[in-house]
Amino acid sequence: MAGHFEATPGGGAAVALDEVEIAILRSLAVQLLELIGPGDEPAAGEDPLAALFAEGPSEPPTDPALARLFPEAYGDGDDELRAASSEFRRFTENDLRTRKREDALVVVRTLDALTPSTGGASRSDSAKGGGGRREGGAAVLTLTPDECRNWLGSLNDLRLTIGTRLEVSDEDEGEEGSLYRLPDSDPRKPMVMAYLWLGALQETLVETLMP
C-alpha cells in the first residue's frame, strides 16, 4: 500500500503515508487554500440567503495558476465568446471556488486526524473517514467514498497549480520527458518530484473509484 491508494470495502480508499509525506501534503493543501482565497462571509446584518446568490467576478484571474483553476468556459477567440465566458463566470466561479476550498479543507482535516508518531489516528473508525492505523512505520489514511472525491479534486487542483508554476507541457510528462531527467542541482527538482508524486497518488485513487 505504501505510496499508492488501494480500495477498501464500502467504496473508500486507503494509503500509507509517513510523517514527511503527511507534512508535505498538508502544506500543499494549505497553500492551495491560500491561493483560492477565503470564502465570502455575509456582513453583519446581511441576509445569508442573498449571499448565496451573489455574483462572482466576470474577468479571469490574472494569476496564471488561478486562471488554470478557473479557466474561461468558452475560450477567448472573439468578442462573443469572451462575453459568454464572462457571463458564465459571474454565476459559477463563486460556487467553484467554494467546492475547491471544501476539497482542500477535507485533505487538511483528514491528514490532521493522523498521528504517525504515536502509531494511530484520532479517529480509528474508518467509517468516520480520516481513520488510520500503523503499517510498516507509516500511518494508513483511510477515506470514505465522499472523502475520496474531495481528495481527487484537490490532488487535481494541486497538480494544475504546480504544473502551471513549472510551465509543464504534455511532452515533459512522458516517461522520456524532461521532468524525469532533471539533475539534482536543478532548483525545480523538489517541486517536480512533488508534482510526479501527486500524479501517482491521483492515478491510483482514480483506479480505486473505478467499477
Side-chain angles (χ1 to χ4, degrees):
M1 180 182 294
H4 63 274
F5 279 98
E6 293 183 359
T8 59
V15 62
L17 300 169
D18 63 30
E19 193 167 0
V20 173
E21 291 169 332
I22 292 170
I24 292 172
L25 283 168
R26 191 186 189 284
S27 175
L28 291 173
V30 169
Q31 291 178 59
L32 180 61
L33 284 167
E34 293 172 349
L35 178 65
I36 295 170
D40 294 327
E41 295 293 333
E46 182 181 351
D47 183 0
L49 185 60
L52 292 175
F53 296 95
E55 295 182 4
S58 59
E59 297 297 324
T62 56
D63 185 306
L66 280 175
R68 189 75 175 88
L69 293 177
F70 306 102
E72 292 282 60
Y74 305 109
D76 57 0
D78 55 44
D79 290 343
E80 185 176 347
L81 287 176
R82 282 192 291 271
S85 291
S86 294
E87 188 73 1
F88 185 81
R89 183 181 296 277
R90 283 173 55 210
F91 295 105
T92 60
E93 184 168 311
N94 284 348
D95 287 343
L96 185 56
R97 282 181 181 267
T98 297
R99 193 192 76 198
K100 291 180 180 297
R101 192 179 299 112
E102 290 173 350
D103 288 344
L105 283 171
V106 168
V107 171
V108 173
R109 290 166 181 162
T110 51
L111 290 173
D112 283 349
L114 292 175
T115 54
S117 61
T118 58
S122 60
R123 294 179 297 167
S124 60
D125 184 357
S126 63
K128 297 178 182 178
R133 64 182 187 278
R134 294 287 288 179
E135 182 178 280
V140 178
L141 174 71
T142 304
L143 303 175
T144 67
D146 285 343
E147 289 170 342
C148 286
R149 286 183 280 273
N150 294 128
W151 266 75
L152 192 58
S154 203
L155 287 172
N156 185 64
D157 290 342
L158 285 170
R159 277 178 51 80
L160 287 175
T161 300
I162 296 173
T164 301
R165 299 292 192 225
L166 293 171
E167 299 182 345
V168 173
S169 66
D170 291 339
E171 291 74 18
D172 294 328
E173 292 200 63
E175 291 187 4
E176 302 300 322
S178 61
L179 292 183
Y180 291 88
R181 301 197 304 271
L182 286 179
D184 291 340
S185 59
D186 194 307
R188 298 172 297 167
K189 186 68 174 284
M191 192 57 68
V192 167
M193 295 301 294
Y195 177 80
L196 296 174
W197 175 51
L198 292 172
L201 288 176
Q202 182 183 20
E203 181 179 357
T204 57
L205 183 53
V206 168
E207 290 173 354
T208 68
L209 299 178
M210 295 176 65

